[in-house]
């Protein structure tokens, strides 16, 4: 099975497990360049900081489920369950939903309203724009102009 199929199937298995534990699944990656391969699952707690307990519970529950699916990943692999760190770059729809309301820095390829860097709170992303709240106002940045969206540590 190719890595993309593995990621899709693990995502389908992991999402309900995360929900049962009161967590959100943020991302799944299957890295074959390591020996053994690494299956990385990122989770977050929606209302408080994601702790080691959350990662451990998810790891145990998912590992038990994966052990019943010996057809999914052939050969040895390491399962890593973690919380996405500060400074994470957002790319998927799942990440944009999971990190709604978080502080982000957006860099654009060229100036948008005279700026190439925007900091604010992530509101949403649709097919045309990425929306932020910047200094209390809603800002729409055209997706084709956006080079990078990255989580940043909130400033007091």
């Amino acid at each position: 099975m190719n890595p993309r199929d593995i990621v899709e199937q693990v995502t389908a298995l992991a999402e309900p497990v995360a929900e049962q534990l009161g967590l959100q699944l943020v991302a799944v990656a299957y890295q074959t360049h390591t020996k053994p391969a690494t299956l990385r699952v990122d989770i977050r707690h929606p209302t408080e900081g994601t702790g080691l307990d959350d990662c451990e519970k998810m790891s145990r529950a998912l590992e038990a489920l994966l052990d019943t699916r010996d057809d999914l990943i052939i050969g040895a692999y390491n399962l890593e369950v973690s919380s996405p760190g500060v400074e994470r770059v957002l790319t998927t729809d799942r990440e944009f939903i999971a990190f709604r309301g978080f502080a982000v820095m957006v860099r654009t390829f060229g100036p948008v309203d005279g700026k190439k860097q925007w900091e604010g709170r992530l509101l949403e992303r649709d097919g045309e724009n990425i929306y932020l709240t910047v200094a209390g106002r809603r800002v729409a940045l055209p997706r084709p102009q956006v080079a990078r969206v990255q989580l940043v540590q909130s400033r007091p």
Side-chain angles (χ1 to χ4, degrees), residues 115-134:
K115 294 171 59 175
K116 288 179 68 175
Q117 183 170 301
W118 296 81
E119 283 194 51
R121 298 258 170 212
L122 179 63
L123 292 175
E124 64 181 313
R125 172 175 88 162
D126 64 20
E128 297 171 14
N129 297 299
I130 293 174
Y131 300 93
L132 308 176
T133 300
V134 178

Side-chain angles (χ1 to χ4, degrees), residues 81-144:
V81 176
S82 64
S83 135
V86 174
E87 311 291 318
R88 177 189 185 91
V89 175
L90 305 182
T91 57
T92 67
D93 287 338
R94 180 183 302 277
E95 291 169 327
F96 276 86
I97 292 167
F99 294 104
R100 192 174 285 155
F102 279 65
V104 293
M105 179 189 320
V106 179
R107 290 197 174 111
T108 57
F109 291 112
V112 175
D113 291 338
K115 294 171 59 175
K116 288 179 68 175
Q117 183 170 301
W118 296 81
E119 283 194 51
R121 298 258 170 212
L122 179 63
L123 292 175
E124 64 181 313
R125 172 175 88 162
D126 64 20
E128 297 171 14
N129 297 299
I130 293 174
Y131 300 93
L132 308 176
T133 300
V134 178
R137 71 179 179 98
R138 183 179 170 102
V139 174
L141 301 172
R143 282 182 68 170

Side-chain angles (χ1 to χ4, degrees), residues 49-109:
T50 307
L52 190 55
D53 265 2
D54 296 318
C55 294
E56 187 177 334
K57 287 176 190 171
M58 181 68 182
S59 180
R60 286 187 179 163
L62 185 57
E63 183 177 29
L65 188 56
L66 290 172
D67 284 349
T68 68
R69 294 285 313 270
D70 58 359
D71 63 321
L72 185 56
I73 301 174
I74 307 300
Y77 68 95
N78 289 321
L79 174 62
E80 291 180 3
V81 176
S82 64
S83 135
V86 174
E87 311 291 318
R88 177 189 185 91
V89 175
L90 305 182
T91 57
T92 67
D93 287 338
R94 180 183 302 277
E95 291 169 327
F96 276 86
I97 292 167
F99 294 104
R100 192 174 285 155
F102 279 65
V104 293
M105 179 189 320
V106 179
R107 290 197 174 111
T108 57
F109 291 112

